[in-house]
Amino acid sequence: MSCPDCFNGHVHSGEVQGIEIQLYGIDTYVVEPENAAEVKGLIVVVSDAFGWKTSNLRLLADTYAKRTGCRIYLPDFMNGKAAPQWMMSVIDQILTDHSFYAWMIKPYLVLQAVFAMVPFMISNNPKAAYKTIEKYIGDIRCAEGNNLKIGAMGFCWGGYSVTQLAHGPRAANGKRLIDAAFTAHPSELSVPDDIEKIKLPYGVVIGDVDFALSLQKVREMEDILSKKTDVDSEVTVIPGAKHGFAVRGNPDDQVVMEMADQAEDRAVKWFARYLK
């Protein structure tokens, strides 16, 4: 999680539709299906490095609720210690602005970035956070999710935990924690180990130039999953897509936003198939 691409991106603007509640001891952004429609299933979104507060993920959660008919949960699994949203513009300026003025202030910008990155990385080890995520979804499975199907969606940092959930752990009531998993540009994965253990429907969308998972590793993942004849899977590789494209792309770049739309469509279709 130390590469600048984990913290690079653009802030998306718009009016969000959900509410903030405390659920099983964790602050959670919740969105219901449109027009008070019957809830078809539940989807837990595990965030990227910028956490549950960003407009980017909340707007996407709203879209998922509208398009899937599911209730969407976007919890604060980072306990208030997500990377600050302002880092996106700082990292972008460091990487893309080559003017003389930018060169002069670059040391200051780098210090700003380090000031935010280091506490984030200390506080948010994905493997340690997984225990909290597993318990939270277990509580949902034993209550409102007892008679509904549950999906898990993970971006970047969240992709690690969602992949672990696809290994099929069970809740206290004996049921699988989730019924289907989908990830976009996941990070911190160990291939082949994390992929060989997958037992539940698992989809991933990723670019062919993603630092967190090389194209060689993506093809290895694809090969492992294709041999699991008893597990449905889907690996979508988008040419030219960089890490973070599904949630932090430049809204003024039509090509990048078309890539994000592809990721959204794949996730929506995946959950429509498995959360019926």
Side-chain angles (χ1 to χ4, degrees), residues 60 67 238 245-246 254-268:
L60 198 50
R67 295 188 62 187
I238 300 181
F245 77 94
Q254 183 179 350
V255 173
V256 171
M257 294 316 293
E258 286 175 356
M259 293 175 179
D261 288 343
Q262 287 183 60
E264 178 190 307
D265 287 343
R266 297 316 310 163
V268 167

Side-chain angles (χ1 to χ4, degrees), residues 53-126:
K53 280 280 191 180
T54 63
S55 56
N56 297 33
L57 267 185
R58 293 191 175 198
L59 290 167
L60 198 50
D62 293 351
T63 299
Y64 287 159
K66 179 179 180 180
R67 295 188 62 187
T68 67
C70 294
R71 179 184 300 141
I72 312 298
Y73 298 110
L74 173 56
D76 178 17
F77 288 132
M78 297 179 181
N79 195 28
K81 296 177 181 177
Q85 191 166 270
W86 55 258
M87 270 192 69
M88 292 190 209
S89 61
V90 170
I91 296 295
D92 185 62
Q93 190 172 357
I94 291 172
L95 296 177
T96 64
D97 191 342
H98 304 296
S99 66
F100 178 74
Y101 174 73
W103 179 79
M104 292 290 290
I105 67 169
K106 186 164 288 189
Y108 169 71
L109 295 176
V110 171
L111 282 175
Q112 271 193 309
V114 170
F115 178 78
M117 278 185 192
V118 172
F120 167 83
M121 291 187 288
I122 291 173
S123 301
N124 294 299
N125 181 291

Side-chain angles (χ1 to χ4, degrees), residues 181-186 202-206 213 221 225 234-237:
F182 197 92
T183 66
H185 39 78
Y202 181 81
V204 59
V205 60
I206 191 167
L213 209 59
M221 171 193 293
L225 291 171
E234 174 183 274
V235 179
T236 302
V237 180

Side-chain angles (χ1 to χ4, degrees), residues 163-181:
T163 301
Q164 307 311 304
L165 291 167
H167 295 171
R170 296 183 183 273
N173 62 4
K175 295 183 178 181
R176 301 279 192 189
L177 291 180
I178 65 169
D179 296 282

